[in-house]
Amino acid sequence: QSVLTQPPSVSAAPGQKVTISCSGSRSNIDNNYISWYQQLPGTAPKLLIYDNNKRPSGIPDRFSGSKSGTAATLGITGLQTGDEAEYYCGAWDSSRSASYVFGTGTKVTVL
Amino acid sequence: EVQLVESGGGVVRPGGSLRLSCAASGFNFDDYGMNWVRQAPGKGLQWVSGINWNGDNTVYTDSVQGRFTISRDNAKNSLYLQMNSLRTEDTAFYYCTRGIGPPPPSNSPGHCFGPWGQGILVTVSS
């Protein structure tokens, strides 16, 4: 069972903006770095955002991340059909035994 | 180019064992922590286990603690996952992924993970 909660799905037209929320707790999001991963259909996940708001080389600046307290947000502007994918947040959880936890996942649909 | 290639998956009966391997190339393997993440068919991601750069620190998700063992051989640029007492709920695609985080001599498996291998399917079924 995931301890990070995301909306099951979001959608928007091409060129529009979507935001995906990730809700956690003090033991994960509040006290640790948040990351975001993109999983295109039938492929392995890819790191999209790390350390709350940093983009790895090659990730366009249409993707952005932010964090406030026990919640984080991924933003995608200028939505493209190629952005249709499942998106997951992730963070280390310091409660009891340390483990990395992923969000429940959000399906982005480009209308 | 960084590459991670998993091998060793397959079909095994409940209670059986399997050893996954991950061959790494294109980067200094012993500068990074490494991790295994799994995904049951049609389901979300679940982190399984992580290991720091030299193998001194290993961590596991609760459901595999005591059954799975992560290890690495830096001389062979390889990561392993020994899976014992397998259960039907262990059926999943298993991904090898590089940890991104503090450099050695950190004991961290990484703040986050990238890149990822293509994944290997493990099916536990009678």
Side-chain angles (χ1 to χ4, degrees), chain B residues 17-36:
Chain B
S17 298
L18 213 53
R19 188 195 196 207
L20 303 183
S21 299
C22 171
S25 61
F27 66 100
N28 292 330
F29 185 68
D30 52 12
D31 278 347
Y32 292 87
M34 297 293 295
N35 294 263
W36 290 98

Side-chain angles (χ1 to χ4, degrees), chain B residues 1-55:
Chain B
E1 179 195 4
V2 174
Q3 278 201 313
L4 299 168
V5 180
E6 301 95 340
S7 61
V11 180
V12 61
R13 297 205 185 281
S17 298
L18 213 53
R19 188 195 196 207
L20 303 183
S21 299
C22 171
S25 61
F27 66 100
N28 292 330
F29 185 68
D30 52 12
D31 278 347
Y32 292 87
M34 297 293 295
N35 294 263
W36 290 98
V37 175
R38 68 185 180 185
Q39 185 172 36
K43 302 296 185 182
L45 301 175
Q46 182 187 28
W47 174 83
V48 174
S49 180
I51 188 168
N52 74 324
W53 69 282
N54 67 352

Side-chain angles (χ1 to χ4, degrees), chain A residues 1-23:
Chain A
Q1 306 87 319
S2 176
V3 297
L4 302 182
T5 302
Q6 300 178 231
S9 64
V10 297
S11 61
Q16 298 301 302
K17 175 182 179 178
V18 295
T19 59
I20 300 171
S21 60
C22 174
S23 177

Side-chain angles (χ1 to χ4, degrees), chain B residues 13-15 67 85-92 122-126:
Chain B
R13 297 205 185 281
R67 299 189 299 124
S85 303
L86 281 161
R87 306 167 180 168
T88 55
E89 55 264 36
D90 295 318
T91 294
V122 171
T123 303
V124 185
S125 173
S126 54

